[in-house]
Each structure stands twice: as C-alpha cells, then as structure tokens.
Amino acid sequence: MSPILFFRFIGLRLKSLFTLSFLLINFAVFADSKEHFSVDLPLVAEHIKVLASDKFAGRGPLTQGEALTIEYLATEYQKMELVGANPNRVGESSLGHYYQAVPMAQITPNPNIMLKIGDLSLQSGADFTARTEQISEKIELDNTPLVFVGYGINAPEYNWNDYANVDVKGKTVIVLVNDPGFATQDPEIFTGNAMTYYGRWTYKYEEAARQGAKAVLIVHETAPAAYPWSVVESSNTGSKYTLVDASDNASKLPIMGWLQLAATEDIFEQSGLDYQVLKKQALSKRFRAVTLKQNVNLTLKNEISHATSHNVIAKIEGSKYPNEYLLVGAHWDHFGTKKTPSGDIIYNGAVDNASGTAGTLEMARILMAKHKVTPFERSILFINFTAEETGLIGSEQFSKGEIIATQDMVALVNIDGMNVLDEVDYILQYGDGLSEMEDYLAAATAKQNRKVKLDPRPQNGLFFRSDHFSMAKQGVPSLLFMSLGDTDPDYIAHKYHKAADDYSTDWSLGGVKQDIELMVDITETLANSSEWPKWKMPSDFKTAREVDLAK
C-alpha cells in the first residue's frame, strides 16, 4: 500500500471512530435527558414535605415562613439553570432577580369586636366576621340603617338589578351568597347551576362599594357558598393583606362581612320578617330591596403595617419568540400560624398549595431538560404567587404587567391543589366553552387515554377563586388544575383551610404524576406554536384579549 493510501485509510478509520464516539456520546446525553423527562415522584414528595413542614410555619406572607419559602423556590430554580425573570434585582439577595416585590398592607383587626343590630349582640367568629381593605385604624358603623338587597347583583345583560329604586349610600346591606341560577337550578336564570362572577363574594363587595354602601354582610349557607362556616371564619379573621393604591384604598368597601345563617334569621325575626320568605322573593328580577328598620353598630379597630411580600418568577427563554410567554403558576402561600389561648396552630397547607408549588418546580425541571435538547420557540415563565389566600394579591400585582405586558402572555396553566392520591381516568375542566385552552386540554388528555370531566360542582365558582382569574380579567386565557376534594371526599370537610392539611407518607402521588405529564404536554405544545388561544364566550375577558392582540 502506498504511503498516501495508508494515511488515507488511517484517516478514514479515525474519522469513523470519531463519528461513532460522537454518536455514542450524544446518544448517552439524549438517553440521560429522556430520564430527566420523567416525573420524579420522590423529588416532588420532598418538595411538598419541606414546604409543608412546621419549619415553614404555614408559609404566611410577610413572615419568616415567607423568607424560607421564596429562598427555597428561587434556589431550586437556580439549580435547574432557569434565570430570574425580573430585570431589576429585588433586595440585596443574590437571588433578587427571581423575586417580584408585592407591596402590601397588613391589617390586623382587634378580635374582640361585637356587632350590634337592634337588641341583638353578635359575637365575632361565632356569628359574624368583619374586616376591611381600607387603610384605616378605625372604621365605625354608627347607627347605619340596615337594608336587605337580595343577591346584591346589578347585571344589565340579565336584566337584573337588586339595587333598583333603593339608595344604600352610607348604609349596611345584607346580601345572599351565590346567584339566583343556583337557587332555582333554572338554566334560563343566569347560567343555572353554574356560578357566574355575580355569585362570588368578591363581586358582592365590589358592587356594594360602587353603590356607596358602608358595609356588606353576606349570609353564609354551606350549599350555595360551597364551603362550611369554618372556612369563612379562618379566611376572614386574623391578619389580612391587601394591595394599596394612592388613596389608601378609599374606594374599597369600608366593612366586608359575613353572617351566620342563624344570626341572620334572628335579625329578620327582630324586624318582624321571615328570612326564608324574603330569600325566595329575591329569586325574582321584580324583587325590590327591603329596609329592616334596624340600625347597625360596629367599631373595627385595626393595626396597620406596611411591608413587601414577593412573587417568585423564573424563566426558560425561547429561541425564536423570546418575548412571547407561556405562564405556569401556583400560589406558594397558606394561612401561616395562628395564635390561640391554647397555643399556636400551624396551617401547613400541604395539598393547598405546597403540592401545586412542588408541581411547578417539577415542571420546570422537566421542561428545562427538554429545552436543553431542543430549545422551545417561546419563553416559559414560572410564577409562584404570594397572598392568594387573602384575595389573589400576588397575581393581581403580576397582572399589572410590570414584569411582562399582558399582550405578551400567551396563556396560563395554574395549579391550585393536586391529586396526591392514585391515578384517575379523567381530568377536571373548570368552566365550559370559555376559551380555546379547553381544546388543548382535550387533545393532551386524549393522549393519556383519559377523558375530560366537567367540574361536577360548577355552582362553587372555582374558576373565579384562584390566581389565573387575575390574568383572565386582563384577557389572558387559562386552565385551572385543581383537585381539592375530588379524589378525597374527606378533604373539604376536615382538611381544607384547616390545620389538618398536612403532608402524608401514605400518598401515592399517582395523580400528581399524570397531571404533571399532562401540563408539560400542553405547555410544550404552546411553547412551540405560533397560536394565541382565544376566548370563546363573549365576556369582558374576550374583549380585553382582542384589544391586546390588536396592539
């Protein structure tokens, strides 16, 4: 063999060996990545266990529990090589780019308050709750007239106005929870069994404020409210938080209250009226408000402090459309620790929502592994919101667009409580015919040989009760993934918003695995798409989206 042929032969052999080595190395990397694409349930369990531990003290906003939580989340994102999504560092921490400041006021009412209506003296917690979002150390109801305004709804599109022909300025109003559709089960009245936003307690307060009322007392009944009185009490007593506007929230309702059913019946009886009769009359659009001929007295004294809580935000940057964002969210907070005469009670919130928060971390890990193999075209943003439990505060701040404009938000996948038990053959869909995100849900669910199951309790209005709703009001389509009580009937009765919501080694986490896989599929699909999901049903949400997309 000639020297030239010999060296050519050696060169070809070396080239072949190099090519083979290159292929083997890349196959090994790909195989390793494939392993990283699988849900790591022990890791998910560890995240839940840590976040729901007593050390984190119930993850209350503006507490040491918050400091531990946001550092834990930011550190985990950083270890996965996601970058902090805030271009401006928050605070002195090296993790500051992972935080979004949420300036809030903490309002702590004096628990020893009494509501006096006529000759009745009602006890705080047992008979009623009262709080405010106004930044005021003292708010008084001084002989304010009392008026029953039915459902407290003003809805022109349904030709319904409970405030017609009555002036409630400076008065206290009693309103019914939910909307008339639930009480009648008539699909021709509002949307029948499915709650509209007019049925939410947030709307009741907003509308009463627009009408000039001084206070609202919502009558609690378990079926239309969708939760027992214990949830009302735990959610509306103790320290509460609020965003603060330039007027110290002067436009907010001064007193936001709830009434126990028995106390309500006593109030009406004292006025010579039958509550149950008037409640039925309120089901007609011809109903007119009834003055109860009694005065209300209450002094609400508050301790006010201003502090800053934090959302945690991290991103995977898209390769082609880096300024178009798929959002994956879950609130990190719970109720913290409450002091009682018999000792501290820690509300660890393991399912609600340490499980959802752990879900975002695991989705971030899987999606980052996929991104390293084949980069996504769009960016994916992971957001862990603060202060969801006290009124969607963190998501409201994020929805203002200081980090990302709403016109750049493609869609949101929001997790608020996962199925920590066994796998099921369905996925719950909240709302029906709302947006094209439902089509993406159906397609991904079919791949798992599961079926989409409509929310069996649409009367609960869950679509209006989690962080995605803050974005929906700005026009961003979303999906809510929530399994509170669906696979564990005991959960709502004995664990939801109670100290018993603790981590358990008995959980199989089968449902967590299949739902994370489903959400990863939807997120990945949209991250490699040029589509912008739209709203289907005519609404303010749809209008806001159309305005954004036209920009």
Side-chain angles (χ1 to χ4, degrees), residues 217-436:
L217 300 172
I218 301 174
V219 181
H220 174 266
E221 296 193 51
T222 298
Y227 36 76
W229 177 258
S230 59
V231 172
V232 173
E233 183 178 4
S234 64
S235 302
N236 290 275
T237 55
S239 293
K240 307 303 291 183
Y241 310 93
T242 182
L243 291 177
V244 183
D245 62 23
S247 67
D248 282 342
N249 298 346
S251 63
K252 298 273 190 178
L253 186 72
I255 300 287
M256 306 157 62
W258 285 81
L259 271 178
Q260 268 271 36
L261 175 60
T264 305
E265 291 176 329
D266 288 344
I267 293 166
F268 278 70
E269 183 179 350
Q270 185 173 249
S271 297
L273 301 168
D274 188 321
Y275 166 74
Q276 297 298 337
V277 170
L278 284 174
K279 184 174 75 168
K280 290 179 181 178
Q281 292 177 4
L283 294 172
S284 168
K285 63 179 62 177
R286 294 186 296 274
F287 171 79
R288 292 295 176 261
V290 177
T291 299
L292 298 187
K293 299 179 181 179
Q294 297 184 65
N295 293 329
V296 181
N297 289 277
L298 173 75
T299 299
L300 187 63
K301 295 181 179 179
N302 305 299
E303 291 183 8
I304 309 287
S305 61
H306 293 268
T308 299
S309 189
H310 302 85
N311 294 328
V312 180
I313 49 177
K315 71 175 177 178
I316 299 172
E317 186 162 308
S319 61
K320 190 173 181 180
Y321 308 109
N323 294 322
E324 296 178 7
Y325 291 86
L326 270 301
L327 311 180
V328 177
H331 72 90
W332 61 254
D333 68 298
H334 202 57
F335 289 110
T337 301
K338 292 192 176 181
K339 296 186 179 299
T340 71
S342 56
D344 291 350
I345 299 176
I346 302 176
Y347 290 75
N348 283 319
V351 173
D352 181 17
N353 191 30
S355 68
T357 305
T360 61
L361 291 175
E362 182 61 4
M363 286 182 67
R365 187 191 66 79
I366 294 170
L367 287 164
M368 191 63 184
K370 288 175 173 282
H371 180 71
K372 287 180 177 179
V373 176
T374 307
F376 299 119
E377 295 185 357
R378 285 168 159 165
S379 295
I380 303 174
L381 189 82
F382 297 86
I383 326 160
N384 296 113
F385 300 109
T386 183
E388 187 269 355
E389 298 289 8
T390 195
L392 316 185
I393 290 174
S395 56
E396 182 182 346
Q397 179 71 18
F398 182 81
S399 74
K400 293 180 177 181
E402 67 179 34
I403 304 295
I404 298 169
T406 54
Q407 67 198 57
D408 296 328
M409 300 178 190
V410 177
L412 167 64
V413 170
N414 179 42
I415 319 172
D416 195 352
M418 301 198 75
N419 171 22
V420 295
L421 304 181
D422 298 336
E423 292 187 2
V424 292
D425 64 356
Y426 63 88
I427 187 68
L428 289 177
Q429 176 181 301
Y430 295 94
D432 186 18
L434 295 180
S435 82
E436 292 175 351

Side-chain angles (χ1 to χ4, degrees), residues 530-547:
S530 60
E531 296 296 318
W532 288 78
K534 299 178 180 63
W535 293 93
K536 296 179 179 180
M537 185 178 292
S539 64
D540 291 343
F541 315 145
K542 184 177 182 180
T543 301
R545 184 62 161 185
E546 290 170 348
V547 169

Side-chain angles (χ1 to χ4, degrees), residues 181-244:
F182 173 79
T184 61
Q185 295 293 296
D186 183 347
E188 299 300 317
I189 300 179
F190 287 73
T191 54
N193 185 52
M195 183 190 287
T196 65
Y197 187 55
Y198 293 114
R200 285 289 291 146
W201 58 265
T202 48
Y203 168 79
K204 311 285 186 179
Y205 295 145
E206 290 164 0
E207 183 59 36
R210 286 189 286 268
Q211 298 288 338
K214 186 74 178 286
V216 168
L217 300 172
I218 301 174
V219 181
H220 174 266
E221 296 193 51
T222 298
Y227 36 76
W229 177 258
S230 59
V231 172
V232 173
E233 183 178 4
S234 64
S235 302
N236 290 275
T237 55
S239 293
K240 307 303 291 183
Y241 310 93
T242 182
L243 291 177
V244 183

Side-chain angles (χ1 to χ4, degrees), residues 45 48-49 52 350 420-421 495 501-509:
I48 300 174
K49 184 178 178 181
V420 295
L421 304 181
K495 300 172 187 174
D501 187 3
D502 284 320
Y503 171 77
S504 173
T505 56
D506 293 334
W507 294 342
S508 70
L509 301 181

